[in-house]
Amino acid sequence: MKHLSEKTKIFVETASIEDRILSCRNNKWIGYGQATKIMSKLDEMIIYPKNHRMPNLLIVGDSNNGKTAILDRFKKKHESYVDEDISVVNPVVYVQAPPEPDERRFYNAILEVLFAPTRTSEKLDSRYLRVKRLLEKLKTKVLIIDEIHHVLAGAPTKQRKFLNVIKHLANDLQICIVCAGTKLAFNVIQSDQQLANRFEPRVLPRWNNDIELKRLLLSFETLLPLQKESLLIEPSMVNKILSMSDGLIGEIAKILELSSIEALKSGEEKITKDILNNIDFLSPVDRKKKFIT
């Protein structure tokens, strides 16, 4: 089992089939090139000294291509803790943008993730001050707003107001803002010149048949709890997985999850082209066709 990492090898040698199947379903972090660079940038934000022009980041990519996985890992890396003054510190606050650019919903989202009460009758100004004071008290360093492209669902006036809220929070608190979304997120940030100048864009492109994809598949293989080597980097396997996944890392992970489980249930102990052909999986392209027809 030379194809496995040492930790996975020990697990495979001692775990039951049921436990190995469960392991296939667990999320697996692969520190591929662009993800590692973005994580390093995010880590810098945690220790960045307060000033009047804090660094901000815009992470852009297609749906299911790794944005949320990166942000979730960063959040878990910097969980809340109790400092020497016996005060709770929450360095990273992670929320989703509301379905439309609505200030009240945005404030509520922040309050909810911080387990603070929301009051229906509370005025917007008061709610903003409460959010601001709470983030100050918790010594928050980074505010993450996922699905920022939702801002485009509102009228231009509402969009401007919502973007102004983000600017005010960044200025008043002197914290870093990280926004993430689909390619439409570019339009959101570019619609405000001040924000466009403050946000550094990082793009997560779809995967191509190149050395980076082979490294990714090789990394996955070291973590899959299978006794035999699947040779995922063999050219025909690479082409098959790339075609099925449409170049999206979330789809690649799902394909390998389903294939690993099938390899365990069948006793094959490795992923083969026959298994790839027979798993219960529809590619993103085929899913779209289903909806169209």
Side-chain angles (χ1 to χ4, degrees):
M1 293 189 285
K2 293 181 180 179
H3 61 289
L4 299 177
S5 70
E6 194 59 34
K7 183 178 179 181
T8 307
K9 180 181 176 182
I10 294 170
F11 175 73
V12 169
E13 290 172 342
T14 58
S16 65
I17 291 288
E18 291 75 16
D19 286 340
R20 287 199 280 153
I21 288 174
L22 184 61
S23 172
C24 292
R25 296 190 173 111
N26 292 336
N27 290 330
K28 295 169 180 60
W29 170 255
I30 305 292
Y32 58 94
Q34 186 68 321
T36 301
K37 289 177 183 177
I38 292 174
M39 282 292 291
S40 296
K41 186 71 177 178
L42 292 170
D43 285 337
E44 287 175 11
M45 290 179 166
I46 288 290
I47 59 174
Y48 204 90
K50 285 183 177 289
N51 62 52
H52 294 295
R53 194 173 181 84
M54 301 292 287
N56 300 311
L57 197 63
L58 173 65
I59 304 173
V60 174
D62 291 310
S63 179
N64 208 16
N65 202 29
K67 300 183 302 296
T68 300
I70 293 171
L71 295 174
D72 187 57
R73 184 171 179 83
F74 174 67
K75 175 70 177 75
K76 288 177 179 176
K77 186 177 178 182
H78 299 284
E79 291 281 11
S80 58
Y81 62 93
V82 177
D83 65 11
E84 61 274 10
D85 298 323
I86 319 182
S87 299
V88 175
V89 177
N90 197 336
V92 178
V93 173
Y94 182 180
V95 297
Q96 282 197 6
E100 58 180 0
D102 184 286
E103 294 173 66
R104 192 178 301 275
R105 287 188 181 183
F106 180 56
Y107 298 147
N108 284 350
I110 296 174
L111 292 169
E112 284 171 11
V113 299
L114 297 176
F115 304 103
T118 56
R119 305 162 190 160
T120 306
S121 60
E122 188 176 23
K123 293 181 179 179
L124 279 176
D125 288 347
S126 173
R127 200 170 301 221
Y128 174 81
L129 287 174
R130 197 152 59 92
V131 166
K132 177 186 167 185
R133 287 167 184 160
L134 189 55
L135 293 176
E136 284 176 333
K137 182 180 179 181
L138 293 171
K139 300 177 183 176
T140 299
K141 295 288 209 139
V142 179
L143 173 62
I144 298 173
I145 309 171
D146 203 356
E147 310 291 350
I148 192 64
H149 51 272
H150 287 172
V151 172
L152 294 175
T157 303
K158 279 196 166 187
Q159 291 180 30
R160 286 193 295 273
K161 285 182 178 179
F162 190 85
L163 294 177
N164 281 336
V165 168
I166 295 176
K167 282 189 288 187
H168 282 306
L169 276 174
N171 292 336
D172 289 354
L173 294 169
Q174 293 184 354
I175 61 173
C176 299
I177 306 288
V178 176
C179 291
T182 64
K183 292 176 182 177
L184 292 174
F186 275 126
N187 299 338
V188 174
I189 300 301
Q190 289 294 326
S191 68
D192 186 291
Q193 191 59 48
Q194 286 183 322
L195 285 179
N197 290 334
R198 294 183 183 188
F199 276 83
E200 177 186 344
R202 292 293 178 95
V203 179
L204 290 169
R206 293 197 183 212
W207 293 80
N208 296 306
N209 192 344
D210 56 19
I211 189 66
E212 287 298 316
L213 177 59
K214 290 176 182 176
R215 285 174 180 161
L216 179 75
L217 294 175
L218 193 60
S219 296
F220 265 113
E221 182 143 17
T222 66
L223 300 176
L224 299 175
L226 301 175
Q227 292 178 357
K228 299 178 184 177
E229 190 172 6
S230 301
L231 296 174
L232 296 179
I233 61 171
E234 192 272 323
S236 63
M237 293 288 277
V238 174
N239 286 329
K240 179 66 176 174
I241 293 169
L242 185 60
S243 174
M244 291 174 69
S245 66
D246 203 19
L248 300 168
I249 191 172
E251 303 292 344
I252 292 172
K254 190 64 180 179
I255 290 165
L256 296 179
E257 173 197 323
L258 296 173
S259 300
S260 299
I261 291 171
E262 183 57 34
L264 287 168
K265 288 181 175 179
S266 67
E268 189 76 38
E269 289 287 350
K270 67 178 180 179
I271 298 171
T272 64
K273 275 179 269 189
D274 283 342
I275 285 177
L276 287 172
N277 286 327
N278 291 313
I279 58 173
D280 185 15
F281 177 84
L282 276 179
S283 71
V285 173
D286 289 336
R287 275 177 241 153
K288 288 178 183 176
K289 288 179 182 177
K290 288 273 187 183
F291 281 110
I292 293 172
T293 57

